[in-house]
Amino acid sequence: MRDLALIFGAALVAALAVGLAGAVALRQLRGRSITVHISVLLAMTVGAVAAGVAVVAEAMFLSPHDLEVVLTTLAAAAVVSLAVGWLFGRRLAAAAVWADQARERERRIEKGRRDLVAWVSHDLRTPLAGMRAMAEALEDGVVGDPATMTEYHHRIRVETDRMTRLVDDLFELSRINAGALRLSLSAVPLGDVVSDALAGTAPLAAARRIRLLAPESGWPTVTASEPELARVVGNLLLNAIRYTPEDGTVRVDAGRDAGTAWLAVADTCGGIPERDLPRVFDVAFRGERARTPPRDSGDGEGSGGLGLAIVRGLVEAHGGRVEVGNVAGGCRFVVRLPSPA
C-alpha cells in the first residue's frame, strides 16, 4: 500500500508540473483560436500522462528497453489524440465563428427591422397628418380663395405620390428579401436606360441647380432586366441629387471590364464618413442628421431609407455587385453587372 501511495504521489507531482506549464501556456495564448486551445489542452493531458509514467518507470528501475516501449506507446497515443483534437478543434472553431456571425447578422437584421418600422411610420404619419388637416380645411370651408384651394389640392397630390412611392419601395424590398423577384434577362443598352433616368430626374436637378453630366457615347450593353435596371439607375441618381448641395454636379459614367460592365454615379455631396460606408446599403439607414435631405427637397420621394437597399438587392439579383467609396468632393457608387459576350 505504501508503494502505491509513493507511485501515486510521484505521478501526481509530475502531472502537476506539466499542468502548471500548460496553464501558463493557455494564459499566454488566451487570444488565440479555439483550435489552439484544444490542442494545448490535449498536449497538456498527454504530457501529464507521459511525465507520470516516466517518473514512475524511473522509480521502478525499469530497463531502458521497457521504458522505451512504454514511451513509444504513449507517443503513438499522443499523435492520435492530438490529430483528433486538432480536427475537431477546427470544427468547433468554425461552428463557434459561424454561430457568432449568425447572431451578429440576426441582431443587425432585427435592428434594421426596428429602424425600418420607425422610419416608415414617421414617413407615413407626417404626410397623413398634413393631408388630413388640408382635407378637413377644404371640407369645413375654412379655405375659400381659389389660390389656396389649388395649393391644398396640389399638396395632397404630392403627399399621395410620396406615400405611393414608399409603398412601392416596401413592396419591392419585400419581393427581394422573400426571393420572389423574377427577372426577365436580356441584352440591354445601358445608354438608353441612363438617358431615360436622366430625363426623369432633370426637373429635380434643375430646380436645385445641379448639373447632370454624362458622356454621349461609349455606353456598354449589359445582361439585365430592363425595368429593374431602370429602378437601380433612377434610385442612384435620386440619391445623388438629394445629397448634393445646390450648384453641385452629378456625373454618370460607364465602361467595360473583363466580362463585366460597370456604371458609376458620382456626386459632390462632400463625402460619406468612413464609419458609415459599410452601412450605406442597409435598410432604413440615413446616416448623419446633417446628411439627411429635408422633406421639402422637391423630389416627392418618401424613401424611408430604402432606395439604396433596393439598389443592392436588385443588383445582387442580377449576379452583380454595387460598391461605394469617397472621391474628391463627394462619393461614387459603382454598379458592376454581367455583360453579354
Short mmCIF file of all heavy atoms in Angstrom, two decimals, residues 180-215:
data_model
loop_
_atom_site.label_atom_id
_atom_site.label_comp_id
_atom_site.label_asym_id
_atom_site.label_seq_id
_atom_site.Cartn_x
_atom_site.Cartn_y
_atom_site.Cartn_z
N ALA A 180 -38.76 36.40 -54.17
CA ALA A 180 -39.86 36.29 -55.13
C ALA A 180 -39.63 37.12 -56.38
O ALA A 180 -40.53 37.24 -57.21
CB ALA A 180 -41.18 36.71 -54.46
N LEU A 181 -38.45 37.71 -56.50
CA LEU A 181 -38.16 38.55 -57.65
C LEU A 181 -37.86 37.68 -58.86
O LEU A 181 -36.99 36.81 -58.82
CB LEU A 181 -36.97 39.46 -57.34
CG LEU A 181 -36.67 40.58 -58.33
CD1 LEU A 181 -37.82 41.56 -58.37
CD2 LEU A 181 -35.38 41.29 -57.94
N ARG A 182 -38.59 37.90 -59.94
CA ARG A 182 -38.39 37.14 -61.17
C ARG A 182 -37.90 38.09 -62.25
O ARG A 182 -38.60 39.03 -62.63
CB ARG A 182 -39.71 36.47 -61.60
CG ARG A 182 -40.23 35.46 -60.61
CD ARG A 182 -39.32 34.24 -60.51
NE ARG A 182 -39.81 33.28 -59.54
CZ ARG A 182 -39.40 33.21 -58.29
NH1 ARG A 182 -38.48 34.06 -57.86
NH2 ARG A 182 -39.90 32.31 -57.47
N LEU A 183 -36.68 37.85 -62.72
CA LEU A 183 -36.06 38.73 -63.70
C LEU A 183 -36.19 38.15 -65.10
O LEU A 183 -36.01 36.95 -65.30
CB LEU A 183 -34.58 38.93 -63.37
CG LEU A 183 -34.27 39.53 -61.99
CD1 LEU A 183 -32.76 39.59 -61.77
CD2 LEU A 183 -34.90 40.89 -61.84
N SER A 184 -36.48 39.01 -66.06
CA SER A 184 -36.51 38.63 -67.46
C SER A 184 -35.26 39.23 -68.11
O SER A 184 -35.25 40.39 -68.53
CB SER A 184 -37.79 39.16 -68.13
OG SER A 184 -37.80 38.82 -69.50
N LEU A 185 -34.20 38.43 -68.17
CA LEU A 185 -32.90 38.94 -68.60
C LEU A 185 -32.81 39.02 -70.11
O LEU A 185 -33.32 38.16 -70.84
CB LEU A 185 -31.78 38.04 -68.07
CG LEU A 185 -31.69 37.90 -66.55
CD1 LEU A 185 -30.55 36.96 -66.16
CD2 LEU A 185 -31.50 39.26 -65.89
N SER A 186 -32.16 40.07 -70.57
CA SER A 186 -31.90 40.26 -71.99
C SER A 186 -30.73 41.22 -72.12
O SER A 186 -30.24 41.77 -71.12
CB SER A 186 -33.14 40.82 -72.70
OG SER A 186 -33.48 42.09 -72.16
N ALA A 187 -30.27 41.41 -73.35
CA ALA A 187 -29.19 42.37 -73.60
C ALA A 187 -29.80 43.77 -73.62
O ALA A 187 -30.63 44.10 -74.47
CB ALA A 187 -28.49 42.06 -74.91
N VAL A 188 -29.41 44.61 -72.65
CA VAL A 188 -30.00 45.94 -72.50
C VAL A 188 -28.92 47.00 -72.76
O VAL A 188 -27.87 46.98 -72.11
CB VAL A 188 -30.57 46.13 -71.08
CG1 VAL A 188 -31.16 47.52 -70.92
CG2 VAL A 188 -31.63 45.07 -70.79
N PRO A 189 -29.14 47.91 -73.71
CA PRO A 189 -28.19 49.02 -73.91
C PRO A 189 -28.23 49.97 -72.70
O PRO A 189 -29.27 50.59 -72.43
CB PRO A 189 -28.70 49.71 -75.18
CG PRO A 189 -29.62 48.72 -75.82
CD PRO A 189 -30.21 47.91 -74.71
N LEU A 190 -27.14 50.05 -72.00
CA LEU A 190 -27.11 50.85 -70.77
C LEU A 190 -27.33 52.33 -71.06
O LEU A 190 -27.92 53.05 -70.24
CB LEU A 190 -25.77 50.64 -70.07
CG LEU A 190 -25.63 51.23 -68.66
CD1 LEU A 190 -26.72 50.72 -67.75
CD2 LEU A 190 -24.26 50.88 -68.09
N GLY A 191 -26.89 52.79 -72.24
CA GLY A 191 -27.08 54.19 -72.57
C GLY A 191 -28.54 54.60 -72.61
O GLY A 191 -28.91 55.70 -72.19
N ASP A 192 -29.43 53.71 -73.13
CA ASP A 192 -30.85 54.04 -73.20
C ASP A 192 -31.46 54.17 -71.80
O ASP A 192 -32.26 55.06 -71.53
CB ASP A 192 -31.59 52.95 -73.99
CG ASP A 192 -31.18 52.92 -75.45
OD1 ASP A 192 -30.55 53.89 -75.91
OD2 ASP A 192 -31.48 51.90 -76.13
N VAL A 193 -31.07 53.24 -70.92
CA VAL A 193 -31.60 53.28 -69.55
C VAL A 193 -31.15 54.55 -68.84
O VAL A 193 -31.93 55.23 -68.16
CB VAL A 193 -31.16 52.03 -68.77
CG1 VAL A 193 -31.63 52.10 -67.33
CG2 VAL A 193 -31.70 50.78 -69.45
N VAL A 194 -29.87 54.89 -68.98
CA VAL A 194 -29.35 56.09 -68.33
C VAL A 194 -30.00 57.34 -68.90
O VAL A 194 -30.34 58.29 -68.17
CB VAL A 194 -27.82 56.15 -68.49
CG1 VAL A 194 -27.27 57.49 -67.98
CG2 VAL A 194 -27.16 55.01 -67.74
N SER A 195 -30.22 57.37 -70.22
CA SER A 195 -30.85 58.53 -70.84
C SER A 195 -32.25 58.76 -70.29
O SER A 195 -32.64 59.90 -69.98
CB SER A 195 -30.90 58.33 -72.36
OG SER A 195 -31.57 59.40 -72.99
N ASP A 196 -33.03 57.67 -70.15
CA ASP A 196 -34.37 57.81 -69.59
C ASP A 196 -34.32 58.28 -68.14
O ASP A 196 -35.14 59.11 -67.72
CB ASP A 196 -35.11 56.48 -69.69
CG ASP A 196 -35.43 56.08 -71.13
OD1 ASP A 196 -35.39 56.97 -72.00
OD2 ASP A 196 -35.68 54.88 -71.37
N ALA A 197 -33.38 57.74 -67.37
CA ALA A 197 -33.28 58.13 -65.97
C ALA A 197 -32.87 59.59 -65.84
O ALA A 197 -33.39 60.32 -64.98
CB ALA A 197 -32.27 57.23 -65.25
N LEU A 198 -31.96 60.04 -66.68
CA LEU A 198 -31.56 61.44 -66.65
C LEU A 198 -32.73 62.36 -67.01
O LEU A 198 -32.92 63.42 -66.40
CB LEU A 198 -30.39 61.67 -67.61
CG LEU A 198 -29.04 61.08 -67.18
CD1 LEU A 198 -28.03 61.24 -68.31
CD2 LEU A 198 -28.53 61.76 -65.92
N ALA A 199 -33.51 61.95 -67.98
CA ALA A 199 -34.67 62.75 -68.36
C ALA A 199 -35.68 62.84 -67.22
O ALA A 199 -36.30 63.89 -66.99
CB ALA A 199 -35.32 62.16 -69.62
N GLY A 200 -35.85 61.74 -66.49
CA GLY A 200 -36.81 61.74 -65.40
C GLY A 200 -36.37 62.56 -64.20
O GLY A 200 -37.21 63.09 -63.46
N THR A 201 -35.07 62.67 -63.97
CA THR A 201 -34.57 63.42 -62.81
C THR A 201 -34.12 64.83 -63.18
O THR A 201 -33.77 65.60 -62.28
CB THR A 201 -33.39 62.67 -62.19
OG1 THR A 201 -32.38 62.44 -63.19
CG2 THR A 201 -33.84 61.34 -61.60
N ALA A 202 -34.14 65.18 -64.46
CA ALA A 202 -33.67 66.50 -64.88
C ALA A 202 -34.46 67.65 -64.23
O ALA A 202 -33.86 68.64 -63.80
CB ALA A 202 -33.72 66.61 -66.40
N PRO A 203 -35.82 67.56 -64.13
CA PRO A 203 -36.53 68.68 -63.49
C PRO A 203 -36.11 68.91 -62.04
O PRO A 203 -35.95 70.05 -61.61
CB PRO A 203 -38.00 68.24 -63.58
CG PRO A 203 -38.05 67.31 -64.75
CD PRO A 203 -36.75 66.58 -64.70
N LEU A 204 -35.93 67.82 -61.28
CA LEU A 204 -35.49 67.96 -59.90
C LEU A 204 -34.10 68.57 -59.83
O LEU A 204 -33.82 69.46 -59.02
CB LEU A 204 -35.52 66.61 -59.20
CG LEU A 204 -34.94 66.56 -57.78
CD1 LEU A 204 -35.72 67.48 -56.85
CD2 LEU A 204 -34.94 65.13 -57.25
N ALA A 205 -33.20 68.10 -60.70
CA ALA A 205 -31.84 68.64 -60.71
C ALA A 205 -31.85 70.12 -61.10
O ALA A 205 -31.12 70.93 -60.52
CB ALA A 205 -30.98 67.83 -61.68
N ALA A 206 -32.68 70.48 -62.08
CA ALA A 206 -32.75 71.87 -62.49
C ALA A 206 -33.28 72.76 -61.37
O ALA A 206 -32.82 73.89 -61.19
CB ALA A 206 -33.63 72.00 -63.75
N ALA A 207 -34.27 72.26 -60.62
CA ALA A 207 -34.82 73.04 -59.52
C ALA A 207 -33.78 73.32 -58.45
O ALA A 207 -33.85 74.35 -57.77
CB ALA A 207 -36.03 72.31 -58.92
N ARG A 208 -32.82 72.45 -58.31
CA ARG A 208 -31.77 72.63 -57.30
C ARG A 208 -30.47 73.11 -57.92
O ARG A 208 -29.44 73.11 -57.26
CB ARG A 208 -31.56 71.32 -56.55
CG ARG A 208 -32.82 70.77 -55.90
CD ARG A 208 -32.51 69.64 -54.98
NE ARG A 208 -31.66 70.09 -53.88
CZ ARG A 208 -31.10 69.26 -52.99
NH1 ARG A 208 -31.30 67.97 -53.11
NH2 ARG A 208 -30.36 69.74 -52.03
N ARG A 209 -30.51 73.48 -59.19
CA ARG A 209 -29.34 73.98 -59.92
C ARG A 209 -28.18 72.99 -59.85
O ARG A 209 -27.03 73.36 -59.62
CB ARG A 209 -28.92 75.35 -59.37
CG ARG A 209 -30.00 76.41 -59.50
CD ARG A 209 -29.44 77.79 -59.31
NE ARG A 209 -28.81 77.96 -58.03
CZ ARG A 209 -29.46 78.30 -56.92
NH1 ARG A 209 -30.78 78.51 -56.97
NH2 ARG A 209 -28.83 78.46 -55.78
N ILE A 210 -28.49 71.72 -60.05
CA ILE A 210 -27.48 70.66 -60.06
C ILE A 210 -27.25 70.24 -61.49
O ILE A 210 -28.19 69.96 -62.24
CB ILE A 210 -27.94 69.46 -59.20
CG1 ILE A 210 -28.03 69.88 -57.73
CG2 ILE A 210 -26.98 68.28 -59.36
CD1 ILE A 210 -28.58 68.80 -56.83
N ARG A 211 -26.00 70.17 -61.91
CA ARG A 211 -25.64 69.79 -63.27
C ARG A 211 -25.56 68.27 -63.38
O ARG A 211 -24.87 67.63 -62.58
CB ARG A 211 -24.31 70.42 -63.66
CG ARG A 211 -24.34 71.94 -63.72
CD ARG A 211 -22.98 72.51 -64.10
NE ARG A 211 -21.96 72.17 -63.12
CZ ARG A 211 -21.77 72.84 -61.98
NH1 ARG A 211 -22.54 73.90 -61.71
NH2 ARG A 211 -20.83 72.48 -61.15
N LEU A 212 -26.23 67.72 -64.37
CA LEU A 212 -26.17 66.29 -64.66
C LEU A 212 -25.26 66.10 -65.87
O LEU A 212 -25.55 66.62 -66.96
CB LEU A 212 -27.56 65.73 -64.95
CG LEU A 212 -28.59 65.82 -63.81
CD1 LEU A 212 -29.93 65.27 -64.27
CD2 LEU A 212 -28.10 65.07 -62.57
N LEU A 213 -24.18 65.36 -65.69
CA LEU A 213 -23.19 65.16 -66.74
C LEU A 213 -23.12 63.68 -67.09
O LEU A 213 -23.10 62.82 -66.21
CB LEU A 213 -21.81 65.66 -66.30
CG LEU A 213 -21.73 67.12 -65.83
CD1 LEU A 213 -20.31 67.46 -65.40
CD2 LEU A 213 -22.19 68.06 -66.93
N ALA A 214 -23.07 63.40 -68.40
CA ALA A 214 -22.94 62.03 -68.87
C ALA A 214 -22.36 62.06 -70.28
O ALA A 214 -22.67 62.97 -71.06
CB ALA A 214 -24.30 61.32 -68.87
N PRO A 215 -21.52 61.09 -70.62
CA PRO A 215 -20.96 61.05 -71.98
C PRO A 215 -22.04 60.71 -72.99
O PRO A 215 -23.05 60.08 -72.67
CB PRO A 215 -19.90 59.95 -71.89
CG PRO A 215 -20.34 59.09 -70.75
CD PRO A 215 -21.02 60.01 -69.77
#
